[in-house]
Amino acid sequence: RLYILEKVQEYKKPMSNYQVLQETLLKFKYYYEFLVTHSPSTAAEIKLEYVDTVSKVYFSYFKTYQSRLIRLEFEEVPTKADVMGAEDESRRSIQLSMFSSSKSIRSRSTVFTLGNRDELINNQLEWPVIIPVHSADKKFPYEAIFRSVQFSLIDNVWAEYGVLVHFFKGR
């Protein structure tokens, strides 16, 4: 019991490699099966501790990862004040714009144009995920950041599914 719980607690260490920890945990799946047979309450305790630990670790990981990726986003992104059907400032009369409380729209041509964002779908879909430390000097469109977060999430979910199937046997 204590040995498996210690292996689960290793997930909480900063900068730990989760895949190595998962492989190590899978080596001891027979101990867990023994506990399921001979002490179901201990097995349930281990499972609850694993779920609690991993959920906190992944929440923290993805929160940090996404916040670091957002810093790499292009500066020109639409806000709630940017609308496609708004009247241009140049067409308004001076009197109307003096009393208007709406903000002026930034360059709509850069905010709403496709630019080269379609490259992500055509050529960059299979690229590896963005690592913020290695890409600190680059800027990415929101679609590339979204793709990176989603691919990372899918990769981690797939690895956890393997642990659930092989270690916990879907119990």
Side-chain angles (χ1 to χ4, degrees), residues 90-139:
S90 61
R91 293 183 183 174
R92 286 185 170 183
S93 67
I94 295 172
Q95 294 169 342
L96 277 178
S97 63
M98 259 175 42
F99 300 109
S100 175
S101 64
S102 66
K103 298 178 182 178
S104 67
I105 298 172
R106 292 178 292 175
S107 174
R108 271 192 283 166
S109 61
T110 58
V111 172
F112 292 112
T113 58
L114 185 60
N116 61 354
R117 291 186 286 173
D118 63 336
E119 290 291 317
L120 178 70
I121 295 171
N122 296 334
N123 301 328
Q124 301 169 6
L125 195 59
E126 297 299 321
W127 282 16
V129 295
I130 301 169
I131 301 172
V133 175
H134 298 299
S135 305
D137 57 337
K138 297 178 185 175
K139 295 290 185 183

